[in-house]
Amino acid sequence: MAVSRKAKDSVIRIAFLVTALSSIVALGLIMIYLFIEGLPIFEHVSVIDFLFGHLWYPTSDPADFGIFPLIVASVAVTLVSSALAIPLGVMTAIYLAEIAGPRTRGFFKPVVELLAALPSVVIGFFGMVVVAPFLQEAFDLATGLNLFNAAIMLAFMSVPTICSVSEDAIYSVPAELKEASLALGATHWETIARVILPASLSGISTAIILGMSRAIGETMVVLMVAGGAAMIPTSLFSPVRPMPSSIAAEMAEAPFRGDHYYALFAIGIVLFLFTLLFNIIADHISEKHKQVGAATL
Amino acid sequence: MKKLAALLATFILVATSAFADTTVKVDGSTTVLPIMQKMVEAYMKANPTVKFTVSGGGSGNGIKAIIDKTTDIAMASRKMKDKEFALAKEKGVNAKEIVVAIDAIVPVVNPANKISAVTLAQLKDLYAGKTTEWKALGGEGPVVVISRDTSSGTYETWEELVMKGEKVFPGALLQASSGAVVQAVSKNKNAIGYVGVGYLDASTKGLTVDGVVGNEENASSGKYPISRDLYLYVNGEPTGEIKKFVDWALGAEGQKLVKEAGFVPLKKK
């Protein structure tokens, strides 16, 4: 007996619904768990003291749970690495999509994407044994394990994301937009700056935010090359201790369901809220600059 | 059919009893872990009927597990705190402490550094952030202080024996493992760090503390000021397989493996 088309249709619909739901449920459970394990710390420390305290001595007696230097370090590392990665990533993308010939493009795009496949521990190791001594020599620093080194390594990791996502966005700008611009007598450069970039702004901003999310959440690299001093950085070359590296370094030794353990989960909550904020901003921007048709520019 | 069921039942009974009382769970300190892994491997080779599962969740987790009776042996690189002993008693666990090895913590500098000796007081000033130039000790350049994470057992020992109640200043670079400390010190001529005696090699230079070389001999005789015991904790007086294993670990064979893992064996009685 043949199954009716309607029945087949609804089976497929349910299959997709279940798949989609299961990822949402997984995310929801992780979130709930994060909050269950993180919130108890606020019975001992006020939210203000936790977020704005300057001292992080989780195992002393009495313990200090102030994560302000950790937050500042995360934000600083993310901003500096974005300052390095955004121009690099976006300009490479423009070059690949608009300027390079098809053969150059066919060669360089996979190479850039391969950079994304490098394990972060390899990049961290490179930063530790090659870049750190170099920075120390070149700038006559006390230590090469610092904010700047971490930012360079993170930029390394976010360039491929930023580049390949924006390249796709630029590449998919409708050809008639470009042709219209050129037909009006605009040069290739003017077309890129005035037509193609604005038209792909939604995709490019999504790419940038994705790259920044990667930088703020990345653990291995900052654990290895940021230096790990829980102090508010005073210069580009201060050693810092971003939030993910604190969690990774200390979770193994924190007594299960002790204050320290709760505090580390609370840092996880802060990190989660940061990435959530990033995603909301990305969504907002891409919605605002959404290209719905060739005529909307 | 009935016969088959009976056979199956006996089989399950035998199988479970063969496994049930001979699996020993070990959890805790990542410092003690390499010793324990070596010991367990050798012990299981000699006694194929005993099964060990070893995991390193940190001293805190190991002690928590022994209090909650979710592990048979806890490894710890620090002594159980009074609070933890009290909690154990409350839950009906009589935690028994066994010293399994000794660890000497040695301050290390880059081989390019001229300094080769420090005093405990100088170390304290360095780690409190009071001494910021090597000039004060007869060297040159700024001091870069490298420490283990505040939650590491090695750090806790350092805080107790060197800092004596003071805190390592927040400007110290914290590294997540002893290997990372060695790596950082070997790459930075201004750096000072501290590691267990097992991590000493040519890439860094160990300093004498108060004139005593941090080596096995001085650590086990107690002459070296920054040494600590490494512990196992069990629930109550050990019996059966656990007792056999503990006796073996404290004996000549086990202690030879302590040395192989890079730590200091217990003094021979």
Side-chain angles (χ1 to χ4, degrees), chain A residues 217-239:
Chain A
E218 167 53 39
T219 310
M220 207 61 216
V221 165
V222 290
L223 187 61
M224 291 170 85
V225 303
M231 255 191 351
I232 293 170
T234 50
S235 83
L236 202 52
F237 299 111
S238 299

Side-chain angles (χ1 to χ4, degrees), chain A residues 55 57-60 64 125 128-129 133 136 141-143 145 223 227-231 239 241 249-250 252-256 260, chain B residues 30 57-61 64 142 144 149-152 159 167-176 180 183-184 187-190:
Chain A
L55 292 175
Y57 285 107
T59 51
S60 296
D64 289 309
F125 193 67
M128 201 171 183
V129 300
Q136 198 184 335
L141 304 170
T143 173
L145 299 173
L223 187 61
M231 255 191 351
R241 184 175 183 79
E250 295 169 24
E253 299 280 351
F256 184 65
H260 187 194
Chain B
T30 47
S59 300
N61 277 331
K64 162 98 182 152
V144 173
D149 278 297
T150 50
S151 45
S152 124
E159 201 179 50
K167 286 172 180 167
V168 171
F169 79 120
L173 277 63
L174 301 188
Q175 296 290 341
Q183 184 63 247
K187 292 281 168 201
N188 188 338
K189 62 182 192 322
N190 304 316

Side-chain angles (χ1 to χ4, degrees), chain A residues 133-142 148 152 237:
Chain A
F134 171 76
L135 285 177
Q136 198 184 335
E137 280 297 308
F139 296 97
D140 194 27
L141 304 170
F148 189 60
I152 296 175
F237 299 111

Side-chain angles (χ1 to χ4, degrees), chain A residues 142, chain B residues 113 115 117-146 163 166-169 171-172 190-192:
Chain B
N113 198 323
I115 314 279
V118 282
T119 63
L120 266 182
Q122 285 170 335
L123 275 179
K124 188 177 171 187
D125 282 350
L126 284 167
Y127 275 84
K130 285 180 193 147
T131 310
T132 54
E133 295 287 330
W134 280 113
K135 213 163 60 191
L137 299 170
E140 52 196 37
V143 176
V144 173
V145 175
I146 297 177
M163 303 312 287
E166 246 184 87
K167 286 172 180 167
V168 171
F169 79 120
N190 304 316
I192 180 168

Side-chain angles (χ1 to χ4, degrees), chain B residues 3-202:
Chain B
K3 242 186 194 167
L4 192 71
L7 200 71
L8 205 66
T10 19
F11 178 75
I12 290 170
L13 208 69
V14 170
T16 46
S17 65
F19 287 109
D21 52 7
T22 50
T23 302
V24 180
K25 264 165 85 181
V26 187
D27 189 10
S29 163
T30 47
T31 305
V32 190
L33 188 67
I35 302 178
M36 208 56 183
Q37 266 167 343
K38 270 188 189 294
M39 284 189 171
V40 160
E41 261 170 48
Y43 190 77
M44 285 201 291
K45 212 175 226 173
N47 305 278
T49 52
V50 192
K51 217 174 143 265
F52 279 81
T53 56
V54 186
S55 53
S59 300
N61 277 331
I63 290 168
K64 162 98 182 152
I66 203 84
I67 294 172
D68 287 343
K69 297 183 198 165
T70 52
T71 191
D72 299 308
I73 301 176
M75 306 176 279
S77 62
R78 61 170 172 86
K79 252 184 181 322
M80 252 173 95
K81 294 169 183 162
D82 291 341
K83 226 161 64 183
E84 290 164 334
F85 269 117
L87 189 65
K89 196 150 263 170
E90 222 172 82
K91 296 200 174 180
V93 172
N94 176 23
K96 194 173 172 327
E97 182 178 294
I98 299 155
V99 177
V100 71
I102 300 169
D103 187 15
I105 301 174
V106 184
V108 288
V109 293
N110 191 279
N113 198 323
K114 278 187 246 163
I115 314 279
S116 59
V118 282
T119 63
L120 266 182
Q122 285 170 335
L123 275 179
K124 188 177 171 187
D125 282 350
L126 284 167
Y127 275 84
K130 285 180 193 147
T131 310
T132 54
E133 295 287 330
W134 280 113
K135 213 163 60 191
L137 299 170
E140 52 196 37
V143 176
V144 173
V145 175
I146 297 177
S147 171
R148 284 295 311 283
D149 278 297
T150 50
S151 45
S152 124
T154 313
Y155 171 87
E156 288 192 31
T157 311
W158 189 260
E159 201 179 50
E160 187 191 325
L161 297 173
V162 176
M163 303 312 287
K164 303 206 165 80
E166 246 184 87
K167 286 172 180 167
V168 171
F169 79 120
L173 277 63
L174 301 188
Q175 296 290 341
S177 67
S178 297
V181 172
V182 170
Q183 184 63 247
V185 172
S186 70
K187 292 281 168 201
N188 188 338
K189 62 182 192 322
N190 304 316
I192 180 168
Y194 56 83
V195 289
V197 65
Y199 284 93
L200 286 181
D201 59 24

Side-chain angles (χ1 to χ4, degrees), chain B residues 178-249:
Chain B
S178 297
V181 172
V182 170
Q183 184 63 247
V185 172
S186 70
K187 292 281 168 201
N188 188 338
K189 62 182 192 322
N190 304 316
I192 180 168
Y194 56 83
V195 289
V197 65
Y199 284 93
L200 286 181
D201 59 24
S203 67
T204 57
K205 181 164 77 174
L207 301 178
T208 61
V209 179
D210 290 345
V212 183
V213 183
N215 59 14
E216 280 183 24
E217 212 185 333
N218 291 334
S220 63
S221 72
K223 245 169 83 186
Y224 184 71
I226 321 171
S227 47
R228 60 163 166 178
D229 295 336
L230 299 177
Y231 305 94
L232 299 180
Y233 284 95
V234 293
N235 180 8
E237 202 58 50
T239 54
E241 287 301 337
I242 298 178
K243 181 176 168 40
K244 268 193 236 162
F245 172 75
V246 167
D247 288 345
W248 177 87

